[in-house]
Each structure stands twice: as structure tokens, then as C-alpha cells.
Amino acid sequence: LSDEGKDKGLENTYYWFGSDNLGRDIFTRTWMGTRISLYIALIAVIIDVIFGLSYGLISGYFGGAVDNAMQRFAEILNGIPSLVIVTLLIIVLKPGLMTITFSLMITGWIGMNRIARAQVLKLKEQEFVLASRTLGAKKFFIIFKEILPNILGPVITNTMFSIPNAIFTEAFLAFIGLGVPAPMASLGSLISEAFKQFTVHPYMLVAPVVVLAILMLSFNMLADGIRDAFDPKMKEM
């Protein structure tokens, strides 16, 4: 129990993960923080799948001037330093989940866009695509019904990798004061707070770090399972 907790007369109160420097239960704050981190992970997946994937598929398939214009726009966004984006968000929005969501929406989809585009460029001249085109299939049918199922492996893997990146982004925002406002907590803000107290109360860092590690491992294992289940190439083996 921390000194603050003893001052409040909580000497006979015991917490599974201990208490922080303000006498708050780390167990409760860790699981409440996990909810916020999972929300951020869900937002990252939705942005990747709906916007980044569609953007890359359309850009790669149409090619030419369309591809050039779409990719230059993505490169301009990616070229803006993240600190500049965060500073602008501080001016426009208050710290909180909405600010984190907007920061992910601005540049969080660019990695998925590049992977989807590269896969489409590799597959769009394959025989099965040419056969569909010869039979009169529409372009968007070819993109989403013929090409998309054949690139699910790298797409799903990259989507799962975007989840830890999103959670780490939230931790960075929390570290500079743009994360979820107190008394709310996420795994990122808990780790940031515990790091400041590491020399005095190192146990505060253990619980959020272990939970974050388990989350990362779980999402990676889920990605492997989904990839094996939906990848047409794996079904033939």
C-alpha cells in the first residue's frame, strides 16, 4: 500500500495489483484502462479495413492518373510530422477519446493502403482477373470479389499489427497530455504514470505492461488463425 493510501486510513485494505501513488486500486484501473485500449484497437481496425483497404484496392486497380493522384495525397498526409498533427488537435479539440480517434483517422490508414495497393498491382494481371474481365465483370466486383479474397493473408496480418501501433500511439498521446483525461485511464496512460514512479514503486508498472503484452500476443494469434481460415491458398494445402 502506498503512503497516500496509509494516510487515508487504508492500512487493512489489500489490492491484488497494489495501489498507485494516490492510493487508487491498480487492479480496477488496469481493467478499466483495458476497455479504453480495446476501443482504440477497434477504431484502428475499422479505419484500416474500411478506409485504408478500400483506398489501396481502388488506387492499385485503376492505376494511371487515379493511382498517381491518390498516392500523392496519401504521401502528403504521411509527410506531415505526427507532432504537428497532435498540436493542431490540441488547438481544435480537448484531450480525450475523440482526439485520439481523429489522430488515428488522419494517418492510421496509410500503411494498409500501401500493402493493399502493392498486392493489387501484383494480382490484377493474373489469369483469374483477366478471365473475369473478359466475361464482363464490373471493376468493383473484380476488386472486392476476385482480388480481395486472395490478399486476406497480408491484409489481416497488417490489421493486427495496427492494433499495437494504435495502442502505442495512445500511450504517446497520454505521455504528452493529450490522452484520456483524468480520472479515466488507459493502458498507455497507466504505463506512463507508472514509469514516472518506477524508482519508488516499480510494481506499478508490472500489471499494465503484462496485460498489454497479453493483448498483443492474443491479437497476433488471432491474426494467424483468421489468415489460415480465410486465405484461399491455405485451403488448398
Side-chain angles (χ1 to χ4, degrees):
L1 191 65
S2 67
D3 295 336
E4 183 74 19
K6 294 177 181 178
D7 293 340
K8 293 180 179 180
L10 300 176
E11 291 89 346
N12 296 324
T13 303
Y14 297 93
Y15 302 123
W16 287 15
F17 293 169
S19 61
D20 62 9
N21 58 316
L22 297 178
R24 295 173 295 189
D25 180 15
I26 296 178
F27 178 83
T28 303
R29 287 175 60 78
T30 297
W31 296 119
M32 295 300 290
T34 303
R35 292 171 53 186
I36 295 178
S37 295
L38 288 176
Y39 161 81
I40 294 168
L42 178 62
I43 290 296
V45 169
I46 292 174
I47 293 171
D48 261 5
V49 171
I50 293 181
F51 194 71
L53 180 59
S54 301
Y55 195 95
L57 288 172
I58 294 171
S59 174
Y61 184 81
F62 283 93
V66 174
D67 179 43
N68 190 43
M70 294 178 73
Q71 293 307 310
R72 296 300 80 74
F73 174 73
E75 288 175 4
I76 290 172
L77 281 183
N78 195 42
I80 302 174
S82 59
L83 192 57
V84 174
I85 297 175
V86 169
T87 305
L88 292 175
L89 289 174
I90 291 176
I91 297 173
V92 177
L93 299 172
K94 296 180 180 179
L97 287 177
M98 189 60 65
T99 307
I100 297 171
T101 302
F102 272 110
S103 67
L104 291 175
M105 288 177 63
I106 293 174
T107 56
W109 53 272
I110 293 177
M112 175 61 75
N113 153 63
R114 289 174 174 171
I115 289 180
R117 176 178 176 270
Q119 295 296 319
V120 172
L121 292 175
K122 184 172 67 174
L123 293 178
K124 72 176 184 177
E125 300 300 332
Q126 295 286 328
E127 289 80 2
F128 68 94
V129 176
L130 296 176
S132 296
R133 197 179 300 159
T134 303
L135 292 172
K138 295 182 179 180
K139 293 181 179 180
F140 283 95
F141 177 86
I142 296 174
I143 291 173
F144 292 102
K145 294 293 185 180
E146 298 290 346
I147 296 178
L148 180 57
N150 286 278
I151 66 173
L152 279 180
V155 164
I156 292 174
T157 303
N158 187 73
T159 300
M160 292 299 114
F161 278 119
S162 72
I163 291 175
N165 289 335
I167 295 176
F168 292 150
T169 299
E170 185 278 328
F172 163 71
L173 295 177
F175 190 78
I176 64 172
L178 195 59
V180 293
M184 297 175 64
S186 66
L187 292 178
S189 62
L190 286 174
I191 293 172
S192 297
E193 292 174 7
F195 181 74
K196 298 173 185 177
Q197 302 289 331
F198 183 74
T199 56
V200 182
H201 303 296
Y203 67 89
M204 290 172 53
L205 194 63
V206 175
V209 167
V210 169
V211 172
L212 182 61
I214 293 174
L215 276 179
M216 300 304 101
L217 178 62
S218 300
F219 280 122
N220 285 331
M221 293 177 66
L222 178 63
D224 290 338
I226 294 176
R227 180 187 59 192
D228 295 345
F230 288 98
D231 193 344
K233 297 177 182 178
M234 296 297 295
K235 292 180 181 180
E236 297 174 358
M237 296 178 63

